[in-house]
Every structure is written in structure tokens, then in C-alpha cells.
Amino acid sequence: MLKRWSAAVLGGVLLLGALGACGGEKEGDSAPGAAKDDGKITMGFAQVGAESGWRTANTKSIQDAAAAAGIDLKFSDAQQKQENQIKAIRNYIAQKVDVIAFSPVVESGWDTVLKEAKDAKIPVILTDRAVDSKDTTLYKTFLGSDFVVEGKKAGDWLVKEYAGKTDPVNIVELQGTTGSAPANDRKSGFADAIKASPNLKIIASQTGDFTRAKGKEVMEAFLKANPKIDVLYAHNDDMGLGAIEAIEAAGKKPGVDIKIITVDAVKDGMTALSVGKINYIVECSPLLGPQLMDLAKKVVKGETVEPRILTVETTFTQEQAKAALPDRKY
């Protein structure tokens, strides 16, 4: 009986071994950085949060594009905290996803976790925002806008608006999240554009965290501290829209008493522009989903992609906003 039991066990072991060799996964079949046998790509995406209308549209674009491309999307919301994004990325590495994409909350502090992804042979794509890592091999490409150019476009409009005038122009600035790429770059681009015009002076600059509520709160403080404000430059529409509430509550007319320039061109911002409450908007398109999915397929296959891919964007005046609004997707 003992001999018969041993033979049965041995036979079962041999059968399992044969099944594993024929129909099971071979070593390396499920290795990260390569699509599974069924061709399905799994992407781990770590989003900044849901701080604005722009971000909501960006998230929807990514989710819709993933579904259309047949990509299995694992999504996380960092609620504007870097530690949450790092935790999510490490979780994606542990799950052995094929590709990781994320919009960094801030520019600095990513080298360690990006090296972990590289060591795990999982390609990384940056979307919307960049990192300041000196080792550019830690990610495959960066897809997004040129935030410096956006700031410059805002400044160029203001310079033209006050061309030939020498009276002092007092500007207040609502910055994006401290340390983030769009906040840093939109600030520097704007400052460079107006520096040759000594009458254009930034008298106050503070973060509004890209949110409407914070934009209103900071603008209220600006209005109390500065009796004469001529221009507001907001790093995104939502902060500008919050500031409009504060300006109106103070008995002033937005777009007239205080000229307003914002960045993004989401529907609410464009609506305010169309009725003259905002004077000028620099576009920053959130619809990055289709481009991101195309890039994901390429890097998973091991194809070479450009290290920097720009989105095509424009600017809007009041009349242009009126014309564009009926077909606006976000």
C-alpha cells in the first residue's frame, strides 16, 4: 500500500510539472515592462488629485482613452500629496504592471522611487508635469505643455495691453502648488516677459494651491493689503474664478477694475472670459489620454520615443472664447 501511495504522489507531481511546462507561465512571461500573453497592457496611473476642473477633465481623458485602447488602468488619486503618489507607484511596482504613468505633485524628490521602477524594468511616463531629476534615464518620456511658454504668453499679452503707458501697473499673482512644475515655470515665464517693462510690477505673489476656494481666500487677503490692484495673474482658471468671487464681494468689477489673466481654458474659465470677467486665457489642454496610451504601447514594446512631447495649445480673447465654447469638451 505504501508503494502504491508513493507512486500516486509521484505521478501527480510529474503531471503538475508537465502542465506547468506546457500550459503555464514560463519564467519571464509575467515580467514587468512587457505585455502579458493576451496582449493586454496594464498601466498604473498616479494622479495628482481632483483640485480643479482641469484635473477632472484630465482624469476623464485618461480613463476614457485607456478603455478605448484596451489598456487595463489601475488608477490612484494622491490628493495633492507626494507621499501618496510614491506609495501608489511602489504599489504598482509590487503588482508588476507593464507601465507606470503619473503627474508629479512637485518636481523634486522622485529619484529613489523612479530608480525602483527602473530596477524592476517597468518603464515610466511623466504626464502634464516634469521632475527635476538629473538622471533622465529614470523615465522614458515627458508628455505635456511648456509651462514657461504659457507664462510668457500671459506676460506678452499684458505688455501689449499696456504698451505706450508709463503709469505704474500693480499686479498680484496667484501661484499654483508650491514646488510644482507649472507653478515654478508659469511664474518664471511671466516674470521674464514683463521684466523689460518697469511700470509692470508684481506687488504680491502667493500660492492658491490651484483651487477655487484657496484662490478666493488669497485674493481676499490681497485686496485688504493692497488698496490699488490693476491686474491679477492666476496660474489656473479655478484660482482666477475664486478670485472673481472675492473681487465682486469687495465691490469691484472683475475684468474692468482689475484685469484678469489665467491659464487652462476649462469651460468655466472660458465662460467667464466670454462675459468679460476674465480678459485673457492661455490654454493648457488636459486631454492627454489618447497620446498617453499611444506612448504606453510603444514603450512597452521597447520602441524608442522622443524624450519630450509637447501638446499643441493656443490662447483666447473674449471673442475667441465665445466662438470656441459651443464645441468645448472640458
Side-chain angles (χ1 to χ4, degrees):
M1 180 177 285
L2 181 61
K3 287 181 180 178
R4 285 199 300 273
W5 182 84
S6 299
V9 171
L10 179 59
V13 170
L14 290 172
L15 177 61
L16 286 172
L19 287 171
C22 297
E25 290 184 344
K26 299 176 186 177
E27 187 178 353
D29 276 359
S30 59
K36 307 300 183 290
D37 285 345
D38 61 2
K40 188 98 168 178
I41 293 172
T42 299
M43 171 188 285
F45 188 88
Q47 182 61 285
V48 172
E51 76 282 2
S52 63
W54 191 100
R55 190 63 56 190
T56 302
N58 179 242
T59 291
K60 187 176 187 306
S61 174
I62 289 163
Q63 291 172 333
D64 289 351
I71 290 176
D72 180 17
L73 182 69
K74 296 182 182 296
F75 184 91
S76 67
D77 180 336
Q79 299 179 325
Q80 292 184 276
K81 294 180 180 178
Q82 183 179 29
E83 59 267 29
N84 290 346
Q85 276 195 316
I86 291 173
K87 183 178 179 181
I89 292 168
R90 285 189 169 134
N91 188 35
Y92 295 146
I93 294 169
Q95 293 180 55
K96 298 182 179 180
V97 299
D98 298 303
V99 59
I100 292 171
F102 75 113
S103 298
V105 175
V106 294
E107 286 189 288
S108 301
W110 299 102
D111 284 26
T112 300
V113 72
L114 289 180
K115 189 173 187 307
E116 290 170 16
K118 183 180 178 181
D119 290 344
K121 295 182 173 55
I122 301 175
V124 173
I125 299 172
L126 304 179
T127 72
D128 173 41
R129 301 181 179 184
V131 299
D132 62 5
S133 174
K134 292 180 181 177
D135 184 358
T136 56
T137 67
L138 295 177
Y139 56 91
K140 293 295 183 182
T141 185
F142 165 39
L143 165 67
S145 306
D146 188 324
F147 301 131
V148 175
V149 169
E150 289 173 353
K152 186 177 183 303
K153 286 177 180 177
D156 287 344
W157 179 85
L158 190 61
V159 169
K160 187 179 289 186
E161 184 72 7
Y162 286 94
K165 299 176 183 177
T166 56
D167 290 343
V169 177
N170 291 336
I171 306 163
V172 294
E173 179 180 32
L174 281 169
Q175 298 180 44
T177 304
T178 302
S180 68
N184 293 343
D185 293 350
R186 287 172 186 164
K187 180 177 179 63
S188 66
F190 183 79
D192 284 346
I194 68 170
K195 67 182 178 183
S197 304
N199 61 319
L200 303 181
K201 184 180 180 183
I202 298 174
I203 60 171
S205 183
Q206 188 175 325
T207 181
D209 282 335
F210 285 126
T211 69
R212 198 172 299 200
K214 191 72 173 178
K216 180 181 179 181
E217 178 188 321
V218 176
M219 191 66 200
E220 287 171 346
F222 284 164
L223 288 163
K224 287 176 184 176
N226 305 281
K228 185 180 183 295
I229 296 173
D230 301 300
V231 176
L232 163 66
Y233 168 46
H235 288 190
N236 80 337
D237 290 343
D238 278 75
M239 290 189 296
L241 291 165
I244 286 171
E245 295 178 34
I247 291 167
E248 290 177 330
K252 294 180 182 291
K253 194 170 182 181
V256 178
D257 297 327
I258 299 176
K259 293 186 185 298
I260 300 174
I261 310 164
T262 65
V263 181
D264 272 355
V266 297
K267 191 166 284 186
D268 284 353
M270 293 282 278
T271 300
L273 175 59
S274 72
V275 296
K277 291 187 177 184
I278 292 176
N279 302 85
Y280 192 68
I281 294 181
V282 178
E283 185 181 36
C284 179
S285 176
L287 307 181
L288 306 181
Q291 280 181 284
L292 175 59
M293 299 311 146
D294 287 343
L295 286 170
K297 290 177 180 179
K298 288 177 180 177
V299 299
V300 166
K301 288 179 181 176
E303 295 179 17
T304 301
V305 296
E306 291 294 322
R308 180 70 172 98
I309 298 171
L310 287 171
T311 49
V312 179
E313 293 152 341
T314 186
T315 58
F316 294 94
T317 60
Q318 183 176 359
E319 292 307 312
Q320 289 167 332
K322 287 179 182 177
L325 263 173
D327 299 319
R328 205 72 182 152
K329 293 182 180 178
Y330 55 94

